[in-house]
Amino acid sequence: MNKIVLLATITFALAVGSAHAQDVRYDFDKTKDFSKYKTYMWVPIKGADPLDQLTAAKIMSAVDSELAVKGLAKTASDPADLYIGMQTSLGTEKQFSSYNTGWGYGPGWGSGWYGYRGGMSSSSTYGSTSTIYNGQLDLSIYDSNDKQLIWRGAATKTLDPKAKPEKKEKNIAKAVAKLLKNYPPKSK
């Protein structure tokens, strides 16, 4: 019984811990010399769903800050070495949480023939369903000369729809920092 309770506790802790973690993926063109890029400008991605102005401004500001630290300068017009575009998506999924009262008695409890006495056991399972919101930020970076994608990254995170603006801004900054951690890619 104690092993079951311990296993259930560990499983729950892992599920809760992973629900708030950010998943980051990226890819890049290994033939490009990223050290030659010094300027960038924001461009819209054709066909991307528009984002509300407040969130878009927070994301762009976080990206601008990270790229400035990496030595890139933002420009409002061409010529720019890089074009940067972003897309976001919001998805939902259902989560079912259950627990079992699971106590009772049965084999191995009490005395009797062969050291056990069978008995009735009783348990009840309770559960609830909740909606989980997942947000994804895709950042695409293009070489402005040949209009080719040279770097792309995506960050996915579970979102709290009730979070205060300060918390949302902090989450955006953390996601962007993690997303751009490997930009520019290390040259070999």
Side-chain angles (χ1 to χ4, degrees):
M1 181 71 176
N2 288 340
K3 289 181 183 179
I4 293 171
V5 171
L6 180 61
L7 181 60
T9 303
I10 291 171
T11 303
F12 177 75
L14 289 174
V16 169
S18 64
H20 296 345
Q22 293 173 349
D23 178 35
V24 173
R25 297 171 312 284
Y26 71 98
D27 196 8
F28 63 96
D29 184 343
K30 293 175 178 59
T31 65
K32 297 293 182 181
D33 177 10
F34 285 82
S35 66
K36 73 177 185 174
Y37 302 116
K38 303 295 181 200
T39 62
Y40 71 94
M41 67 180 275
W42 285 97
V43 295
I45 302 244
K46 190 175 183 177
D49 290 333
L51 190 59
D52 71 85
Q53 291 176 341
L54 294 173
T55 304
K58 288 175 185 175
I59 293 171
M60 292 170 78
S61 176
V63 171
D64 291 344
S65 294
E66 287 295 318
L67 292 179
V69 169
K70 296 171 183 289
L72 289 171
K74 181 172 104 172
T75 181
S77 60
D78 271 332
D81 299 327
L82 299 171
Y83 294 145
I84 299 180
M86 71 171 162
Q87 298 182 71
T88 59
S89 65
L90 180 66
T92 60
E93 60 186 65
K94 293 290 184 184
Q95 176 179 345
F96 179 73
S97 302
S98 67
Y99 59 93
N100 187 332
T101 61
W103 72 276
Y105 57 92
W109 199 85
S111 62
W113 196 257
Y114 296 111
Y116 73 93
R117 174 176 53 201
M120 302 294 286
S121 72
S122 172
S123 67
S124 298
T125 302
Y126 299 95
S128 64
T129 310
S130 59
T131 301
I132 298 174
Y133 295 90
N134 295 307
Q136 180 167 319
L137 169 63
D138 292 320
L139 200 61
S140 299
I141 301 177
Y142 299 86
D143 184 309
S144 64
N145 289 327
D146 58 13
K147 313 288 189 282
Q148 294 296 311
L149 181 67
I150 62 167
W151 190 93
R152 181 172 186 274
T156 306
K157 182 174 180 0
T158 301
L159 304 175
D160 178 4
K162 297 176 185 174
K164 294 180 179 179
E166 301 81 24
K167 179 72 171 172
K168 288 179 184 178
E169 192 167 348
K170 184 178 177 183
N171 284 337
I172 288 171
K174 285 171 101 175
V176 168
K178 194 170 181 181
L179 179 61
L180 291 172
K181 178 181 176 185
N182 294 302
Y183 182 89
K186 306 279 189 268
S187 58
K188 292 183 179 182

